[in-house]
Amino acid sequence: MAPGADIGMEFSFSAALVEWRGPAPYHFLPLPEGASEAIGEVAGALTYGWGVIPVTATIGRTRFTTSLFPREGGYLLPVKDAVRSAEGIRPGEPVAVTVAVGTQA
């Protein structure tokens, strides 16, 4: 299986939006443990480097592509500013999301 291959994994969950304040602020949704474990089992076939995994995510009416970041045995879903603005999401608020793993449409 080639890196970035579509393996048909999809997860829906709700998580609180986390703000990371580095040189520039970034916002993430932590994936649940079960989803992270399932992705970890096939990560070698999906990553295109540094352990990041391509995904297509949907929050509300907004669909976007990004890559999961590995972090402390789990994964974080970056949430773009345009998505946060379109969906009215603020740090600390719960966010319902669907993530299709290994796909970028």
Side-chain angles (χ1 to χ4, degrees), residues 1-9 11 31 35-57 64-71 74-78 99-104:
M1 188 178 307
D6 181 358
I7 62 163
M9 267 186 174
F11 302 94
L31 270 68
S36 290
E37 288 174 357
I39 294 166
E41 290 177 8
V42 296
L46 296 173
T47 187
Y48 53 85
W50 303 287
V52 297
I53 307 292
V55 298
T56 299
F64 61 102
T65 59
T66 189
S67 295
L68 300 177
F69 293 0
R71 177 82 173 153
Y75 290 93
L76 298 174
L77 174 74
V99 176
V101 180
T103 63
Q104 290 202 336

Side-chain angles (χ1 to χ4, degrees), residues 21-40:
R21 292 190 173 266
Y26 291 93
H27 297 86
F28 300 95
L29 292 172
L31 270 68
E33 185 176 329
S36 290
E37 288 174 357
I39 294 166

